[in-house]
Amino acid sequence: MTVDATAATEVDAATEVGRFLLGDAFPCLAGRSAWRQGGITHRHYTWFGDDEVARDMAADLQAYVQTVDWAAKPFTSFVATFSGPLDVTDIEFEALMWQQLQAVHDHDSLTHPWAEGYDRDPSSGAFAYSVAGHPFFVIGLHETHSRIGRRPPFPMLAFNSHNQFDRIKAAGLWDRLQEKIRKQDIELQGNINPNLVEYEQLSEARRYSGRRKPADWACPFSARA
């Protein structure tokens, strides 16, 4: 019965992910395209910020990195969703997000080095989150987010490969894609997400949660030696 219940939760969550990504309130065309083309690998977990969940996530992300065919589809992503907690503020969500990413890294660092070519210092402009030796840009979303386009029905993390970003830029598609996303975000919210217009030399860690940061914000993440 436990297995069946868990499977049902996974299926139900996947349905909600698809509904969210294809909905009118989601501005990212790349994410929508990834879902339609079968480029989303989705896993559902119990409690956001839990260490046992982090261990399972580290293993699932490792399997994803080892098996995904990055060149087969133009857009791919690993999406993790969580049953709760719900109804948290942006600041509370951000704290839980970094707690989760720290715990995943703590497990991952036992067997994998940091992604080659990227800085492990979250204050560096060359930082990227690393799992299984692969560089990711992480996007955090939750149902009460201040940005309309980041409101799935539960906490959610999307892991997007930096290698994939490089291929999109090399193909000359980056600027056009970015322009379309910003246009849709303005139509939804009335203004551009301030995270999208921060100077690129600043650490990408500032943009993961989608919350606007003060200039002196310090990331709570610490990479293991």
Side-chain angles (χ1 to χ4, degrees):
M1 289 296 293
T2 303
V3 174
D4 291 342
T6 302
T9 300
E10 182 96 28
V11 170
D12 294 343
T15 299
E16 292 299 327
V17 169
R19 184 177 292 120
F20 169 69
L21 295 180
L22 298 179
D24 293 337
F26 184 65
C28 182
L29 301 179
R32 189 172 301 174
S33 178
W35 180 265
R36 285 173 173 161
Q37 297 176 15
I40 297 292
T41 296
H42 168 250
R43 296 290 181 271
H44 186 72
Y45 305 96
T46 52
W47 211 247
F48 196 44
D50 182 75
D51 185 67
E52 185 174 346
V53 166
R55 182 183 60 190
D56 293 340
M57 273 186 67
D60 290 342
L61 279 160
Q62 177 182 335
Y64 172 70
V65 168
Q66 292 174 343
T67 59
V68 69
D69 185 351
W70 305 104
K73 297 179 176 65
F75 303 111
T76 59
S77 183
F78 180 95
V79 172
T81 57
F82 306 84
S83 296
L86 304 176
D87 195 27
V88 296
T89 66
D90 283 357
I91 292 177
E92 290 169 335
F93 170 80
E94 185 174 79
L96 287 168
M97 180 194 74
W98 283 111
Q99 179 180 324
Q100 187 72 41
L101 292 178
Q102 182 71 63
V104 169
H105 168 67
D106 290 346
H107 290 288
D108 177 73
S109 64
L110 298 175
T111 52
H112 295 93
W114 200 260
E116 186 176 354
Y118 292 86
D119 201 327
R120 65 178 64 221
D121 178 0
S123 67
S124 168
F127 172 80
Y129 186 72
S130 175
V131 187
H134 193 90
F136 288 100
F137 184 97
V138 183
I139 299 176
L141 313 92
H142 64 102
E143 87 287 357
T144 53
H145 202 288
S146 57
R147 300 298 300 185
I148 296 172
R150 287 198 181 210
R151 294 177 185 170
F154 33 48
M156 176 172 154
L157 297 178
F159 293 78
N160 298 314
S161 168
H162 265 281
N163 293 358
Q164 182 170 254
F165 289 161
D166 292 341
R167 283 195 297 274
I168 294 172
K169 291 176 181 178
L173 301 174
W174 183 263
D175 290 341
R176 184 181 177 187
L177 179 63
Q178 188 177 61
E179 181 182 351
K180 287 184 176 181
I181 292 173
R182 290 182 178 186
K183 182 179 179 180
Q184 290 210 10
D185 202 36
I186 291 174
E187 290 176 355
L188 279 173
Q189 193 91 28
N191 54 56
I192 296 177
N193 187 334
N195 284 265
L196 298 178
V197 293
E198 279 197 329
Y199 295 113
E200 289 189 358
Q201 61 264 34
L202 297 178
S203 171
E204 67 176 46
R206 295 175 60 88
R207 302 195 290 275
Y208 285 5
S209 75
R211 181 180 73 89
R212 189 168 191 172
K213 306 290 192 299
D216 61 351
W217 179 79
C219 181
F221 176 81
S222 178
R224 305 305 180 195

